[in-house]
Each structure stands twice: as structure tokens, then as C-alpha cells.
Amino acid sequence: MSNIGKSTNILWHNCPIGQSDRQKLLGQKGCVVWITGLSGSGKSTLACALSHELHYRGHITYVLDGDNLRHGLNRDLSFKAEDRAENIRRVGEVAKLFADAGIICIASLISPYRRDRDACRALLPDSNFIEVFMDLPLKICEARDPKGLYKLARTGKIKGFTGIDDPYEPPVNGEIVITMKDGECPSPKAMAKQVLSYLEENGYLQA
Ligand SMILES: Nc1ncnc2c1ncn2[C@@H]1O[C@H](COP(=O)(O)OS(=O)(=O)O)[C@@H](OP(=O)(O)O)[C@H]1O
Ligand SMILES: Nc1ncnc2c1ncn2[C@@H]1O[C@H](COP(=O)(O)OP(=O)(O)O)[C@@H](O)[C@H]1O
């Protein structure tokens, strides 16, 4: 019997069919591709492009997008530090379940605090947490501003906006970094191919 958090007298129940059985059926390894970066850096674009590339190669994926999850599972959370931490914790736990199901789970959230991302990494066994840093300058993200949020943040109409008056802590030892080359951002397809190559080279696209 264990006590976990506020749950007392609980017991883990094992099923005879496990992750490796599901992976054999699916012909892939369950993992979490965690995309972090500023608002407007292209996280959702990369998540969708990667999901598309993998799907058409016969791989099953699922995208957990920060904005979308805040419409449901995380609708009770604000953008203050402790709520962002709870947001990342919940998504980390959900992503872990998808990976255990054998699915390539693509999580795209600002996830601005290193400690919260590292806690998600620690949930996954065998380095199945692949951190992708969208290393784009704030200037570019702000120029894109597809939702007009930077403008609102600059005029003080949104408080605590990441990159403006709330911190973003870049990964130090992430697996993949998406950067500008010769002053240009790689296309969505090129970004997806960079992640896809990593997955191929590290054996995730076979059971
Ligand atoms: N204060 C503040 N700071 C940052 N972002 C804000 C804020 N308020 C609203 N938004 C919008 O919420 C989207 C980010 O949600 P996330 O769940 O990814 O954020 S976090 O990981 O909890 O920091 C983010 O979406 P993306 O632009 O896709 O990153 C914004 O559209
Ligand atoms: N590689 C790219 N090249 C050019 N524009 C991009 C690229 N990735 C994203 N964009 C554009 O930048 C804006 C923000 O992208 P989005 O994926 O919504 O970012 P995030 O999810 O990080 O907020 C969108 O208008 C999108 O079309």
C-alpha cells in the first residue's frame, strides 16, 4: 500500500498487456516530443507539420497543444507561475500515458520554466522525452504576433506575458534546437524533417 500526495492506501494494478506489446502492434516506440518556446515561435506549426509527416509514413501521433488544452482540461488555470507549473505537470502526466500507449505524443506548450520541463522529463523512462527548443528571437515572434497578444502585452493590457514581463528559461541540454539559418526561419516541413530525422536515427520509428 502507498500514500501518494493526498491519495492514501492505494495499490498499483498491473495489466498483462504492457507498453512493449502495444509498441509491437504499432511498429513504433511511444515517446514524448516536447516543443517549448515563446508565443509565436512556431510550436503549434511544428507540432502539426510533424504529426502530418509521421501520419503519412504510417505512424500514430497525438498532439497536446497548450492553447487547446486550456479550452478543457486546463481551463481552471491562469498564467501565474504556480498555474503554469500545474499546467505543465498535468500535460506531462497525460503525455506519459500517451507514450505508454505506444503513441508518439507531441506536446507544444510555452512551458517557460526549466524546472517544470525537467519534472516532465523525469516522468518518462529511458530518455523517451525529446525536448525541442524553438530558438527564435523575441523580435521575430513579436513581429509575427498572429493573435495580437504581444501588442496587448506591450500596452499593458495583458500582464505577465512570456518574454515581455514574464520569464522564459531556454533549455540547456535539450535534444533538438530549431534555429534561424542565414536570417531565415526553416519552413514548417524543414522543421518537421529535422525532428523526424532524430526520431528515425534514435529508433523511435520501429518497435
Ligand atoms: N500571459 C500569457 N503568457 C503567455 N501566453 C499567453 C498569456 N496569456 C494568454 N496566452 C496564450 O496562451 C497560450 C500559451 O498557453 P500554454 O499553456 O502553452 O502556456 S504555459 O506553458 O502554461 O506557459 C499562448 O499560445 P501560443 O501563442 O500558441 O504559445 C497564448 O496565445
Ligand atoms: N517555420 C515558419 N516559417 C514561417 N512562419 C511560421 C513558421 N512557423 C510558424 N509560422 C507562423 O508564425 C505564427 C506563429 O506560429 P504558431 O505555430 O502559432 O506559434 P506558437 O504555437 O509557438 O504560438 C503563425 O502565423 C505561423 O503561421
Side-chain angles (χ1 to χ4, degrees), residues 40-59:
S41 59
K43 300 180 299 296
S44 306
T45 302
L46 170 56
C48 291
L50 178 61
S51 176
H52 185 270
E53 290 291 328
L54 284 166
H55 185 85
Y56 286 100
R57 281 170 169 76
H59 294 288

Side-chain angles (χ1 to χ4, degrees), residues 6-201:
K6 291 181 185 165
S7 294
T8 51
N9 305 314
I10 50 169
L11 190 65
W12 185 271
H13 189 91
N14 270 321
C15 282
I17 296 295
Q19 188 195 35
S20 62
D21 303 294
R22 293 185 282 273
Q23 292 185 154
K24 271 181 214 139
L25 276 184
L26 296 170
Q28 62 185 43
K29 290 195 184 80
C31 61
V32 176
V33 177
W34 190 280
I35 306 171
T36 171
L38 293 171
S39 176
S41 59
K43 300 180 299 296
S44 306
T45 302
L46 170 56
C48 291
L50 178 61
S51 176
H52 185 270
E53 290 291 328
L54 284 166
H55 185 85
Y56 286 100
R57 281 170 169 76
H59 294 288
I60 182 156
T61 62
Y62 196 82
V63 175
L64 298 174
D65 189 86
D67 243 340
N68 294 354
L69 293 170
R70 282 177 176 275
H71 284 75
L73 177 68
N74 295 329
R75 66 190 312 158
D76 57 324
L77 301 176
S78 75
F79 286 91
K80 63 183 183 201
E82 68 205 67
D83 279 7
R84 290 192 202 242
E86 174 60 10
N87 184 30
I88 301 317
R89 189 194 70 80
R90 286 184 198 170
V91 180
E93 290 285 358
V94 173
K96 177 184 174 177
L97 296 178
F98 274 99
D100 188 50
I103 290 169
I104 299 169
C105 181
I106 306 165
S108 47
L109 296 97
I110 297 180
S111 41
Y113 308 131
R114 202 171 290 133
R115 196 172 75 161
D116 300 338
R117 295 191 304 267
D118 287 348
C120 291
R121 178 185 290 276
L123 291 173
L124 271 291
D126 306 328
S127 63
N128 284 347
F129 183 88
I130 301 146
E131 194 172 9
V132 182
F133 173 34
M134 305 299 295
D135 188 11
L136 264 78
L138 172 65
K139 214 167 77 178
I140 299 282
C141 302
E142 195 170 352
R144 287 178 174 171
D145 204 12
K147 304 169 200 158
L149 297 178
Y150 280 105
K151 207 170 182 181
L152 292 175
R154 286 289 186 197
T155 53
K157 292 188 180 112
I158 300 180
K159 303 270 185 238
F161 196 78
T162 306
I164 305 297
D165 55 350
D166 218 59
Y168 179 80
E169 300 167 358
V172 276
N173 280 317
E175 281 70 18
I176 301 171
V177 182
I178 306 282
T179 46
M180 315 252 296
K181 285 177 193 87
D182 305 322
E184 297 275 326
C185 183
S187 70
K189 197 165 182 144
M191 300 193 296
K193 288 268 171 70
Q194 189 180 337
V195 181
L196 196 80
S197 299
Y198 180 94
L199 295 175
E200 251 164 7
E201 283 159 21

